[in-house]
Amino acid sequence: MTLKSRHLLGLENLTRAEIEYFLDTAGSLKEISSRDIKKVPTLRGKTVINLFFEASTRTRTSFEIAAKRLSADTINISASTSSVTKGETLIDTAKNIEAMRPDLVVIRHPASGAPELLSRWVDLPIINAGDGTHEHPTQGLLDLFTVREKRGKIDGLTLAIIGDITHSRVARSDIYGFQKMGARVRVCGPPTLIPPGIESLGVQKFHRLEPALEGADVVMVLRIQLERQGTPPFPTLREYSKLFGINLERLRRLKPDTLIMHPGPINRGVEISPEAAYGSHSVILDQVENGVAVRMAVLYLLSGRSVDA
Amino acid sequence: MPRLIRGGRIVDPSSGRDGIFDLLIQDGKIARIEPRIASLPPDTETIEAAEHLVVPGLIDIHTHLREPGYEYKETILSGSRAAAAGGFTGVACMANTDPPNDNHSVTEFIRERAREAGLINVYPVGAVSKELKGESLAEIGAMVDSGIVAVSDDGHPVMNSGLMRTALEYTQIFGIPVISHCEDLGLSRGGQVNEGLASLRTGLAGIPAEAEVSMVARDLLLARLTGGKLHLAHISTARAVEAIRAAKAQGLQVTAETAPHYFTLTEEAVLSFNTGAKVNPPLRSAADREAVQNGLRDGTIDCIASDHAPHSTVEKDLEFSQASSGIVGLETTLSLTLNLVQQGIIPLARAIALLSVNPARVLNLKKGTLAIGADADITIINPNREFVVNPDKFFSLSRNTIFAGLQLKGKAVITLTRGKIIFRE
Amino acid sequence: MMPKKIIDAEGIERILRRIAHEISERNQGTRNLALVGIPTGGVHLAHRLARIIKEMEGNQVKTGELDTTLYRDDLPLKGPIFRLKRTDIPFDLNDHRVILIDDVLQTGRTIRAALDAITDLGRPKNIQLAVLIDRGGRELPIQADYTGKLVTPTGSEEIEVRLRETDGMDEVIVQEKKPGEKPILTR
């Protein structure tokens, strides 16, 4: 098995076999995090740069732990402390870092397409930790891993993604990933937050929550924000919560083995109630745990050329 | 010194002439066109044009020459060279310079620079509004005296319908067109790419077709109300083409133009986040492209204009949402237009008309024609010349084009203004 | 050269029986023994040895699998990345004497990696090594405690162990290396 690209920029262009390769590798690496000594020497002496132009404690910490468990050295660069505040462009920042010879770059950036731009200018494997509203491939992979672990398979399952689809990089990565792995995908939210033409991706569109949840095996709840530029897409958080919030009453209608997922951080009581976030359906914390294994797999597989032994 | 262009295929849409003729230039004017000119004046220099097309000097009705203010992107001199290399003998240049061309001193400066360059005819387009802010009318009369041929706030729309109405009325004193950049900023706000496949797949904010169509509709209504001379810039959408077609069918005097990227490419070009494909209006759907091509064929769209928009790597080698919009076009427009002819989408005579006599008519210029007595502004084209678009060889100071590396056939090889050779390959 | 079978199915079974007896003899029985197989051949052999020991002594020794890929000493950047296999040690290493089981011992680097891996997982009372085939060619000072057969192929020959669990039959063959083919795994 060889990966076509030396980067992980998104799930859109991965094959099913490549996705399974990442998931299988994550499966082999997961037990390391349960050991007493949570470290293997595999990436010893390698340097991983976490280039985060957008604040994110959760994803960055996850990548840092993943790198360290593989014995790599990690350097965190965040936008506020970087030369970007002095007007340096992304390309110049990256070229300067490249000159210090790191081995892998993990980048999170508010502009869609920034990792792609970087991959054209810098001769290093680039891992997209979230670019604007485009993709968040490691989140997609850990969501897939979690569902496969809990339900044994993904083929034939129905995934319902609830929330602001238009502005969600997680939604896009999940749509591509879950479809490639054989799931049926639904999106649900107010029309103002669902991109026109989304059906062309093979996805079913819902504007009411109840029908979207009907028979769903996995419910992916997205964080909702009111503050955006331009006309607000819905009147109040209260109204959003009433129409689209995953609360106790809606929990009761779910099949017993339906999984509730959320990329985090959650807005308690808005898109998801505490009962749903911490109840028996929820695998939100498994997602976080699996995130480390998945990111270890990504770092491992992108650190060289893949061959079969 | 007299010049003979021998044995070329003369395609002159203004007269309908299409055949093999010799053409004699004397004193900067077209003196004779005959199947075979045997007796020549002494010192006549001959240009062998067998297997070549001989057409009126092309006119680009929409370019940005960036001077004054952005000379690192382009100057009137470098833009003139690029134009000549692209087969253009005349270009209209937009007012969004720095300072903007909203007063007669800037107009005079532009004309002076063009005179110094001494290559092509540069026709300045003045601003509709002071500082292109869309609030109050610029001193159009003074600018007309200094030589503008039209007004436009291009780069920006005139959002205020009251101001647009006033502009369409006021310009009737001078008989010049208002060139309208049709974009409803409320609908396009924050948008980077076409709302559709492009926005869906890239996650970038989308600009719906309606941002253009709604303003086209508004401008057509105001043109009917005022009787003013409206010219619609860079048409990119199917429904805008429909609206223009319907308006013309009802007898409205309106003209329209489109740019080569809208009849050649679709929104798929941005899926890889290539900023070379970032333009405003954005590249649209395949259906829109087809409608634009149909509009070129059936006369709904009158002109092809490059919308030459030079940007340096500082503005383009950035994240897609930060990059400036625009493609350089002076050196590729003719070849991309000939590409439409080669695909059988429009006939050759129509293609030449879209680039010569039609823009001349819109701007009321005595150009774009190979009539006897007309200025000898002539473009000689080798229709079989194959080449690969190489921005490093451009005469323009900028290199921002999505067409880099594209293989094309057909190119201007000699360009003459008033009988003087300003470009020879 | 045609591939030559040097050990057949019965031969392999006899070797395993003998090794099981030796293990029991040297460890004064099989109490607290654990057989840890190195994927993939070693894992199957570990299960077979455990079965034989159960028949012999009535004691079910623990078995586990230990993937050494992450501990390889030949993982340069931009070099080959190998598909990971499973590590599953479902018992406490600290309470056991561990016998590593592999099908072929050559350079000794796989065993070196296995020792590092085990050390990260726990501290067994002792670690021993049993291999089906020792084909010489050490690059490190590693030796097996229990050896099925010592084979010394020439430089152009290759030993292959085939087991019915994965290859459909049990045999050990010697064959000519294909020219230009570099073995990916160095054992």
Side-chain angles (χ1 to χ4, degrees):
Chain A
M1 174 79 222
T2 355
L3 296 172
K4 277 194 313 281
S5 169
R6 69 192 290 223
H7 311 290
L8 179 62
L9 302 177
L11 298 187
E12 186 180 359
N13 295 315
L14 290 186
T15 63
R16 177 175 173 145
E18 287 175 311
I19 291 178
E20 282 171 339
Y21 190 31
F22 279 112
L23 298 182
D24 291 341
T25 306
S28 298
L29 292 168
K30 186 168 172 175
E31 56 87 16
I32 296 170
S33 301
S34 314
R35 301 182 183 181
D36 273 345
I37 299 180
K38 297 174 181 35
K39 219 184 240 294
V40 292
T42 319
L43 293 187
R44 193 173 69 97
K46 311 291 186 252
T47 306
V48 176
I49 305 273
N50 286 328
L51 199 51
F52 275 60
F53 290 90
E54 236 181 35
S56 154
T57 317
R58 181 186 312 249
T59 305
R60 207 197 65 208
T61 308
S62 184
F63 267 107
E64 200 178 335
I65 291 180
K68 287 183 163 144
R69 289 200 175 146
L70 291 170
S71 296
D73 295 323
T74 63
I75 310 290
N76 295 326
I77 302 182
S78 66
S80 56
T81 58
S82 80
S83 47
V84 168
T85 50
K86 296 184 189 153
E88 196 182 37
T89 64
L90 174 60
I91 292 176
D92 289 331
T93 303
K95 287 212 128 331
N96 272 283
I97 291 170
E98 184 188 23
M100 295 189 259
R101 302 191 183 277
D103 299 295
L104 289 140
V105 176
V106 177
I107 175 171
R108 166 171 284 195
H109 198 285
S112 302
E116 159 83 42
L117 176 67
L118 211 59
S119 72
R120 280 184 253 136
W121 281 87
V122 149
D123 184 23
L124 291 168
I126 307 289
I127 298 171
N128 180 6
D131 65 328
T133 49
H134 177 227
E135 283 225 47
H136 193 352
T138 57
Q139 180 74 39
L141 288 173
L142 72 89
D143 289 341
L144 287 166
F145 185 89
T146 305
V147 172
R148 194 169 84 159
E149 193 184 47
K150 294 288 179 191
R151 296 292 297 258
K153 59 162 186 167
I154 298 170
D155 278 294
L157 295 185
T158 299
L159 163 71
I161 309 179
I162 319 291
D164 180 355
I165 311 294
T166 300
H167 299 102
S168 172
R169 52 192 173 212
V170 174
R172 277 183 185 77
S173 290
D174 280 340
I175 289 172
Y176 298 133
F178 276 87
Q179 281 187 326
K180 282 173 204 274
M181 295 294 288
R184 273 185 303 268
V185 181
R186 302 173 179 169
V187 293
C188 174
T192 46
L193 291 176
I194 299 203
I198 187 114
E199 298 92 331
S200 70
L201 292 182
V203 147
Q204 239 190 321
K205 186 171 71 169
F206 293 80
H207 295 308
R208 299 305 302 246
L209 185 59
E210 285 73 14
L213 295 180
E214 182 74 44
D217 300 290
V218 183
V219 179
M220 175 72 64
V221 186
L222 299 177
R223 177 187 169 74
I224 197 71
Q225 271 173 267
L226 189 54
E227 333 77 48
R228 281 212 184 274
Q229 284 188 328
T231 328
F234 52 86
T236 58
L237 290 176
R238 178 172 65 189
E239 176 133 316
Y240 180 86
S241 185
K242 216 164 69 147
L243 292 171
F244 298 102
I246 305 295
N247 53 31
L248 202 51
E249 202 235 304
R250 286 166 175 147
L251 272 186
R252 292 206 186 97
R253 297 162 179 248
L254 297 174
K255 297 192 289 183
D257 56 357
T258 300
L259 304 174
I260 292 188
M261 303 175 73
H262 191 304
I266 64 177
N267 276 324
R268 274 196 185 210
V270 179
E271 73 265 1
I272 191 166
S273 69
E275 297 86 7
Y278 297 110
S280 58
H281 293 275
S282 166
V283 293
I284 293 177
L285 295 175
D286 295 89
Q287 285 173 274
V288 176
E289 181 181 356
N290 294 330
V292 175
V294 161
R295 288 167 179 134
M296 287 173 75
V298 170
L299 288 168
Y300 172 67
L301 291 176
L302 293 184
S303 64
R305 281 179 296 113
S306 300
V307 298
D308 268 319
Chain B
M1 150 240 352
R3 216 168 227 132
L4 176 72
I5 301 178
R6 174 150 58 195
R9 176 180 167 192
I10 307 237
V11 180
D12 180 19
S14 71
S15 64
R17 191 197 296 273
D18 183 346
I20 313 282
F21 293 90
D22 289 353
L23 187 155
L24 183 66
I25 302 167
Q26 272 181 298
D27 300 319
K29 301 249 185 235
I30 297 178
R32 291 159 69 184
I33 300 179
E34 287 149 34
R36 183 108 170 73
I37 300 178
S39 60
L40 294 169
D43 306 335
T44 302
E45 229 184 57
T46 303
I47 298 175
E48 297 296 340
E51 311 291 310
H52 286 64
L53 303 172
V54 177
V55 304
L58 306 179
I59 296 174
D60 192 338
I61 193 176
H62 188 150
T63 67
H64 297 269
L65 296 185
R66 303 295 191 212
E67 190 177 9
Y70 304 103
E71 290 83 355
Y72 67 98
K73 301 191 202 196
E74 195 79 278
T75 61
I76 290 172
L77 175 60
S78 65
S80 299
R81 290 198 184 119
F88 292 96
T89 56
V91 313
C93 58
M94 289 296 173
N96 58 340
T97 49
D98 181 15
N101 185 12
D102 66 356
N103 68 81
H104 68 97
S105 338
V106 179
T107 309
E108 273 158 24
F109 171 81
I110 292 173
R111 297 206 62 201
E112 181 54 34
R113 275 285 194 251
R115 256 192 300 276
E116 283 166 12
L119 293 168
I120 59 170
N121 303 302
V122 175
Y123 306 109
V125 174
V128 169
S129 63
K130 292 200 177 83
E131 293 181 83
L132 280 70
K133 281 199 174 135
E135 287 162 8
S136 58
L137 225 52
E139 283 193 300
I140 298 178
M143 290 194 284
V144 170
D145 282 345
S146 292
I148 61 169
V149 296
V151 291
S152 180
D153 275 357
D154 182 72
H156 310 273
V158 176
M159 285 299 292
N160 185 327
S161 304
L163 185 67
M164 185 63 174
R165 175 198 183 154
T166 304
L168 283 165
E169 288 172 339
Y170 190 72
T171 48
Q172 289 176 55
I173 302 173
F174 318 103
I176 59 172
V178 178
I179 301 179
S180 181
H181 166 114
C182 295
E183 178 189 350
D184 183 324
L185 295 175
L187 289 173
S188 69
R189 186 219 312 274
Q192 308 290 329
V193 294
N194 186 38
E195 186 180 279
L197 185 77
S199 58
L200 179 64
R201 299 263 297 271
T202 61
L204 292 164
I207 301 174
E210 284 69 14
E212 172 177 289
V213 182
S214 61
M215 292 297 265
V216 165
R218 179 204 74 169
D219 287 347
L220 291 171
L221 290 170
L222 293 178
R224 171 172 297 121
L225 175 65
T226 59
K229 202 168 166 190
L230 173 68
H231 176 80
L232 297 161
H234 44 55
I235 293 299
S236 69
T237 62
R239 279 191 292 285
V241 174
E242 271 168 41
I244 298 167
R245 188 179 285 125
K248 284 185 172 185
Q250 288 165 4
L252 186 65
Q253 296 297 328
V254 59
T255 55
E257 80 193 29
T258 190
H261 27 282
Y262 302 118
F263 61 70
T264 310
L265 299 170
T266 67
E267 58 189 333
E268 293 207 10
V270 304
L271 294 180
S272 60
F273 295 99
N274 189 332
T275 58
K278 183 172 181 181
V279 272
N280 191 22
L283 299 175
R284 302 282 190 187
S285 71
D288 289 311
R289 174 178 62 179
E290 201 186 318
V292 166
Q293 290 171 350
N294 291 340
L296 287 168
R297 182 174 43 242
D298 71 10
T300 304
I301 301 179
D302 306 87
C303 309
I304 289 175
S306 67
D307 198 359
H308 179 81
H311 287 296
S312 75
T313 57
V314 172
E315 285 99 21
K316 279 295 201 180
D317 282 342
L318 293 172
E319 303 87 313
F320 198 94
S321 51
Q322 308 286 29
S324 295
S325 293
I327 298 178
V328 286
L330 283 168
E331 296 171 79
T332 47
T333 294
L334 172 61
S335 307
L336 290 166
T337 304
L338 291 174
N339 185 249
L340 279 185
V341 177
Q342 287 147 19
Q343 287 179 58
I345 293 174
I346 55 175
L348 178 63
R350 176 107 194 109
I352 302 304
L354 287 161
L355 288 169
S356 61
V357 60
N358 289 4
R361 269 195 209 127
V362 173
L363 297 178
N364 223 357
L365 304 169
K366 290 186 176 42
K367 297 282 188 181
T369 172
L370 293 178
I372 308 292
D375 288 335
D377 290 354
I378 300 173
T379 302
I380 300 177
I381 300 171
N382 181 343
N384 298 310
R385 181 86 160 62
E386 285 184 2
F387 69 102
V388 174
V389 177
N390 181 357
D392 289 331
K393 298 235 170 83
F394 280 174
F395 287 86
S396 166
L397 294 182
S398 292
R399 309 256 169 281
N400 52 310
T401 171
I402 185 73
F403 296 113
L406 185 64
Q407 181 135 23
L408 291 172
K409 190 163 101 156
K411 199 171 182 303
V413 293
I414 300 179
T415 312
L416 300 106
T417 320
R418 288 214 179 79
K420 183 179 106 176
I421 295 179
I422 59 169
F423 170 74
R424 185 171 211 147
E425 202 194 28
Chain C
M1 175 201 163
M2 285 293 294
K4 195 174 94 172
K5 190 189 312 203
I6 54 172
I7 306 176
D8 62 11
E10 278 146 18
I12 289 179
E13 182 71 10
R14 273 183 226 115
I15 286 173
L16 292 177
R17 289 193 170 276
R18 180 202 10 111
I19 288 180
H21 277 98
E22 283 180 11
I23 287 173
S24 175
E25 183 196 356
R26 280 200 231 168
N27 290 282
Q28 282 99 47
T30 57
R31 209 175 26 91
N32 294 338
L33 277 187
L35 307 180
V36 175
I38 294 177
T40 40
V43 175
H44 303 309
L45 294 174
H47 288 309
R48 292 200 208 176
L49 278 170
R51 182 196 22 96
I52 293 172
I53 289 174
K54 174 108 193 235
E55 277 168 32
M56 266 170 33
E57 314 219 332
N59 180 23
Q60 180 69 56
V61 297
K62 301 271 196 325
T63 57
E65 359 186 339
L66 180 69
D67 178 29
T68 56
T69 315
L70 294 171
Y71 290 83
R72 293 175 67 110
D73 62 6
D74 59 346
L75 289 177
L77 195 68
K78 296 184 181 121
I81 293 297
F82 301 96
R83 188 181 268 272
L84 300 180
K85 305 191 179 75
R86 242 162 65 104
T87 292
D88 184 16
I89 314 274
F91 50 87
D92 189 344
L93 282 171
N94 300 336
D95 299 334
H96 289 79
R97 293 170 289 174
V98 167
I99 309 196
L100 292 173
I101 320 276
D102 204 358
D103 50 0
V104 177
L105 172 62
Q106 187 182 348
T107 62
R109 293 189 187 276
T110 301
I111 302 304
R112 195 278 320 156
L115 291 172
D116 279 350
I118 292 233
T119 309
D120 274 353
L121 292 168
R123 191 174 185 278
K125 293 193 179 351
N126 67 37
I127 302 177
Q128 301 162 52
L129 173 63
V131 300
L132 186 67
I133 301 290
D134 178 347
R135 59 159 286 170
R138 293 294 181 279
E139 292 174 7
L140 295 174
I142 302 267
Q143 90 272 4
D145 298 284
Y146 312 95
T147 304
K149 191 175 173 78
L150 184 62
V151 179
T152 35
T154 66
S156 65
E157 284 173 344
E158 205 165 62
I159 311 284
E160 197 183 322
V161 171
R162 293 182 182 156
L163 299 176
R164 62 168 184 274
E165 293 89 337
T166 43
D167 307 295
M169 85 276 285
D170 280 349
E171 60 185 9
V172 180
I173 59 173
V174 182
Q175 60 190 353
E176 207 58 46
K177 257 186 245 177
K178 298 193 187 72
E181 192 181 81
K182 268 183 61 178
I184 295 176
L185 270 184
T186 55
R187 316 244 217 158

